[in-house]
Short mmCIF file of all heavy atoms in Angstrom, two decimals:
data_model
loop_
_atom_site.label_atom_id
_atom_site.label_comp_id
_atom_site.label_asym_id
_atom_site.label_seq_id
_atom_site.Cartn_x
_atom_site.Cartn_y
_atom_site.Cartn_z
N GLN T 529 -135.77 124.85 80.79
CA GLN T 529 -136.32 125.36 82.05
C GLN T 529 -135.48 125.02 83.27
O GLN T 529 -135.62 125.66 84.30
CB GLN T 529 -137.75 124.86 82.26
CG GLN T 529 -138.75 125.60 81.41
CD GLN T 529 -140.17 125.24 81.75
OE1 GLN T 529 -140.52 124.07 81.78
NE2 GLN T 529 -140.97 126.25 82.02
N THR T 530 -134.63 124.03 83.19
CA THR T 530 -133.81 123.67 84.35
C THR T 530 -132.38 124.14 84.20
O THR T 530 -131.56 123.89 85.07
CB THR T 530 -133.83 122.14 84.57
OG1 THR T 530 -133.33 121.51 83.39
CG2 THR T 530 -135.22 121.66 84.90
N GLY T 531 -132.06 124.82 83.13
CA GLY T 531 -130.70 125.28 82.88
C GLY T 531 -130.42 126.64 83.48
O GLY T 531 -131.22 127.20 84.23
N PRO T 532 -129.26 127.19 83.13
CA PRO T 532 -128.85 128.47 83.70
C PRO T 532 -129.71 129.66 83.25
O PRO T 532 -129.69 130.70 83.89
CB PRO T 532 -127.40 128.64 83.21
CG PRO T 532 -127.31 127.78 82.00
CD PRO T 532 -128.26 126.64 82.22
N HIS T 533 -130.46 129.48 82.18
CA HIS T 533 -131.31 130.57 81.68
C HIS T 533 -132.79 130.20 81.83
O HIS T 533 -133.60 130.50 80.95
CB HIS T 533 -130.99 130.87 80.22
CG HIS T 533 -129.57 131.28 80.00
ND1 HIS T 533 -129.06 132.48 80.43
CD2 HIS T 533 -128.53 130.62 79.42
CE1 HIS T 533 -127.79 132.56 80.11
NE2 HIS T 533 -127.44 131.44 79.50
N ALA T 534 -133.13 129.59 82.94
CA ALA T 534 -134.51 129.13 83.17
C ALA T 534 -135.51 130.28 83.13
O ALA T 534 -136.60 130.13 82.59
CB ALA T 534 -134.59 128.39 84.51
N ALA T 535 -135.15 131.42 83.67
CA ALA T 535 -136.07 132.55 83.69
C ALA T 535 -136.35 133.04 82.26
O ALA T 535 -137.50 133.36 81.92
CB ALA T 535 -135.50 133.69 84.53
N LEU T 536 -135.32 133.09 81.41
CA LEU T 536 -135.53 133.49 80.02
C LEU T 536 -136.37 132.47 79.28
O LEU T 536 -137.21 132.81 78.45
CB LEU T 536 -134.19 133.69 79.31
CG LEU T 536 -133.40 134.92 79.70
CD1 LEU T 536 -132.04 134.93 79.02
CD2 LEU T 536 -134.17 136.18 79.35
N SER T 537 -136.17 131.20 79.61
CA SER T 537 -136.97 130.14 79.00
C SER T 537 -138.44 130.34 79.34
O SER T 537 -139.31 130.23 78.47
CB SER T 537 -136.50 128.77 79.49
OG SER T 537 -137.37 127.76 79.06
N GLN T 538 -138.74 130.66 80.58
CA GLN T 538 -140.12 130.87 81.00
C GLN T 538 -140.72 132.08 80.31
O GLN T 538 -141.87 132.04 79.88
CB GLN T 538 -140.22 131.02 82.52
CG GLN T 538 -141.64 131.12 83.02
CD GLN T 538 -142.47 129.90 82.65
OE1 GLN T 538 -142.07 128.76 82.89
NE2 GLN T 538 -143.62 130.12 82.05
N LYS T 539 -139.96 133.15 80.17
CA LYS T 539 -140.47 134.34 79.50
C LYS T 539 -140.76 134.06 78.03
O LYS T 539 -141.78 134.51 77.49
CB LYS T 539 -139.50 135.50 79.65
CG LYS T 539 -139.49 136.03 81.07
CD LYS T 539 -138.54 137.16 81.25
CE LYS T 539 -138.64 137.58 82.71
NZ LYS T 539 -137.58 138.34 83.20
N LEU T 540 -139.89 133.30 77.37
CA LEU T 540 -140.14 132.93 75.98
C LEU T 540 -141.35 132.01 75.88
O LEU T 540 -142.14 132.13 74.94
CB LEU T 540 -138.91 132.25 75.38
CG LEU T 540 -137.97 133.15 74.61
CD1 LEU T 540 -136.75 132.37 74.14
CD2 LEU T 540 -138.65 133.78 73.44
N LEU T 541 -141.50 131.09 76.82
CA LEU T 541 -142.69 130.23 76.84
C LEU T 541 -143.96 131.07 76.95
O LEU T 541 -144.95 130.79 76.28
CB LEU T 541 -142.62 129.24 78.01
CG LEU T 541 -141.83 127.97 77.75
CD1 LEU T 541 -141.52 127.25 79.06
CD2 LEU T 541 -142.59 127.05 76.82
N ASN T 542 -143.91 132.10 77.77
CA ASN T 542 -145.07 132.99 77.91
C ASN T 542 -145.36 133.72 76.61
O ASN T 542 -146.52 133.90 76.23
CB ASN T 542 -144.84 134.00 79.04
CG ASN T 542 -144.83 133.35 80.41
OD1 ASN T 542 -145.27 132.21 80.59
ND2 ASN T 542 -144.29 134.05 81.39
N GLU T 543 -144.31 134.15 75.90
CA GLU T 543 -144.50 134.83 74.62
C GLU T 543 -145.09 133.88 73.58
O GLU T 543 -145.99 134.26 72.82
CB GLU T 543 -143.19 135.41 74.11
CG GLU T 543 -142.74 136.62 74.89
CD GLU T 543 -141.51 137.28 74.28
OE1 GLU T 543 -141.37 137.29 73.05
OE2 GLU T 543 -140.68 137.77 75.06
N VAL T 544 -144.61 132.64 73.56
CA VAL T 544 -145.13 131.65 72.62
C VAL T 544 -146.59 131.34 72.95
O VAL T 544 -147.44 131.23 72.05
CB VAL T 544 -144.27 130.37 72.62
CG1 VAL T 544 -144.94 129.25 71.85
CG2 VAL T 544 -142.90 130.66 72.02
N ALA T 545 -146.90 131.24 74.23
CA ALA T 545 -148.30 130.98 74.64
C ALA T 545 -149.20 132.14 74.23
O ALA T 545 -150.32 131.93 73.75
CB ALA T 545 -148.37 130.76 76.15
N ALA T 546 -148.72 133.37 74.37
CA ALA T 546 -149.50 134.54 73.95
C ALA T 546 -149.71 134.54 72.44
O ALA T 546 -150.80 134.85 71.95
CB ALA T 546 -148.81 135.83 74.40
N ALA T 547 -148.67 134.17 71.70
CA ALA T 547 -148.79 134.09 70.24
C ALA T 547 -149.81 133.03 69.85
O ALA T 547 -150.63 133.25 68.95
CB ALA T 547 -147.42 133.76 69.63
N ARG T 548 -149.78 131.91 70.52
CA ARG T 548 -150.72 130.81 70.25
C ARG T 548 -152.15 131.27 70.47
O ARG T 548 -153.03 131.06 69.62
CB ARG T 548 -150.38 129.64 71.15
CG ARG T 548 -151.31 128.49 71.05
CD ARG T 548 -150.97 127.49 72.15
NE ARG T 548 -151.56 126.23 71.86
CZ ARG T 548 -151.19 125.10 72.42
NH1 ARG T 548 -150.21 125.09 73.29
NH2 ARG T 548 -151.79 124.00 72.12
N VAL T 549 -152.40 131.89 71.61
CA VAL T 549 -153.75 132.35 71.94
C VAL T 549 -154.23 133.36 70.91
O VAL T 549 -155.36 133.28 70.42
CB VAL T 549 -153.78 132.96 73.37
CG1 VAL T 549 -155.07 133.72 73.62
CG2 VAL T 549 -153.60 131.87 74.41
N CYS T 550 -153.37 134.30 70.56
CA CYS T 550 -153.75 135.35 69.61
C CYS T 550 -154.05 134.77 68.23
O CYS T 550 -155.06 135.09 67.63
CB CYS T 550 -152.64 136.39 69.52
SG CYS T 550 -152.97 137.69 68.32
N LEU T 551 -153.16 133.91 67.72
CA LEU T 551 -153.31 133.42 66.35
C LEU T 551 -154.38 132.35 66.20
O LEU T 551 -154.85 132.10 65.09
CB LEU T 551 -151.97 132.90 65.84
CG LEU T 551 -150.86 133.95 65.73
CD1 LEU T 551 -149.58 133.32 65.20
CD2 LEU T 551 -151.28 135.13 64.88
N LEU T 552 -154.81 131.74 67.30
CA LEU T 552 -155.87 130.73 67.21
C LEU T 552 -157.26 131.30 67.47
O LEU T 552 -158.26 130.62 67.28
CB LEU T 552 -155.59 129.57 68.16
CG LEU T 552 -154.43 128.67 67.73
CD1 LEU T 552 -154.16 127.62 68.79
CD2 LEU T 552 -154.70 128.02 66.38
N ASN T 553 -157.34 132.57 67.87
CA ASN T 553 -158.61 133.24 68.08
C ASN T 553 -158.87 134.12 66.85
O ASN T 553 -158.08 135.02 66.56
CB ASN T 553 -158.55 134.09 69.35
CG ASN T 553 -159.82 134.84 69.61
OD1 ASN T 553 -160.24 135.67 68.80
ND2 ASN T 553 -160.43 134.58 70.74
#
């Protein structure tokens, strides 16, 4: 998140969070 690709890191974090929510419901 603090590196040169911080924005991509955040987008991937959002995708992982969405996967978590979906697969745990």
